[in-house]
Each structure stands twice: as C-alpha cells, then as structure tokens.
Amino acid sequence: SDNREEAQLKEDRMGLEDLSKKAEEGFEKAGENIEKAVETAKDKAAEVAEAETAAQLEAERIDVTALVLYAGAISWVIGYDTIYAHQDAEDDALIGIKSTARLFGAHTHQALILFYGLAVLLIGVALASGDARWPAWLGLAAFAVHLASQIARLNISDGDLCKRLFYSNRDAGLLLFAGLLVDAVLRAA
C-alpha cells in the first residue's frame, strides 16, 4: 500500500506539474495578449492624436480666397480713406499729421485708380476662386462702376464733395454685398 500511495503521490505531483506548466503557459500567453492590446491601444491613441492635430490645423488655416478678399477690402479702404482725408488735409499739414491725402496730394486720382483698381481685381480673384455665380459678378461690376464714378467726380479741393464721396462708399459696399447675397441664396436653393 505504501507503493501505491507513493505511486499516487507521484502521479498527483506530475498532474500538478502539468497543471502548473499549463497555467504558466496560459499566463505567458495572456501577458503576450495584454502587451499586444497595449501596443494596439497606443497605436490607436497616436492615430487619434494625429487626426485631432490635423483637424485643428485645418480649422486654424485661413483660406487663400479669404486672404485675397481681405487684401481687396484693404485696398478699397485705403482709397476711400484718402478721399475722406482730403476734407482736412490743410489742417493735417498745419499740425503735422501724416495722411494718404497729404502723401498722394495732386496725384490722388492716380492713387485712387491704383487702389480702387486693385480692390476690384483682388475681389474678382476671390470671386473666381470661390466659384462665384453671375449675381456676385454683377455686384462686383456695379461696385467697380461706383468706384470709377467717385474718381471721375473727385475734386480734392472741395471738402463737402470729398465727404459725400466718402459716405457713398456705403452704397458701393451695398452693391457688392447684394450681389454676394443673391449668389449665396441661389447656391442654397
């Protein structure tokens, strides 16, 4: 019976060793699976971070069309601000204020042709870049005619006329805006 018990103990030990080996193999495999899962999670987190960064950069990017439109608007502002500055160019000279009216002086008409022409050109480039339709182009044409009429009518020695021409730029802006608005409404329909 001692032999039997010894044989049984030996068999039990071997069974326990087998179980221990199987458990050890299972733990190793589980560890490997956990390592793979951690690596996969890290890869996914990196992909998400890259996508978020790309989306943030895209959101922060200013479109070239917007920049060209902005440059056109600045050119327009320089033009009409020059007309406004001619109302008190003499006073500016007396107290030493520098203005575009004083800078351009007798060459104001040429400067306005340059700045208003640049405004129309740049806004036109922005419209083309944005695939504008005919109402926007019609608005730009009306805007251009209005600006040309200001240049033709301008007398830099007549302060009241300068003031009226300056204020008429509200109408110029409304003509352009109306064209853009109709274009947007047609696109939305």
Side-chain angles (χ1 to χ4, degrees), residues 132-146:
R133 296 182 182 174
W134 66 266
W137 291 104
L138 187 60
L140 180 62
F143 175 77
V145 167
H146 194 286

Side-chain angles (χ1 to χ4, degrees), residues 63-117:
D63 191 40
V64 173
T65 303
L67 291 173
V68 172
L69 181 62
Y70 181 73
I74 293 298
S75 296
W76 175 35
V77 168
I78 292 170
Y80 72 67
D81 187 59
T82 298
I83 293 172
Y84 184 80
H86 272 291
Q87 292 180 90
D88 53 8
E90 292 173 12
D91 294 334
D92 290 351
L94 288 174
I95 58 176
I97 293 177
K98 295 179 181 180
S99 69
T100 53
R102 290 187 57 211
L103 176 66
F104 302 141
H107 301 288
T108 294
H109 283 86
Q110 292 87 348
L112 290 177
I113 290 168
L114 172 70
F115 285 107
Y116 278 175

Side-chain angles (χ1 to χ4, degrees), residues 10-23:
K10 196 174 189 181
E11 193 176 307
D12 287 347
R13 260 190 240 129
M14 288 182 73
L16 286 175
E17 284 176 11
D18 281 346
L19 280 175
S20 176
K21 280 183 184 179
K22 286 181 182 177

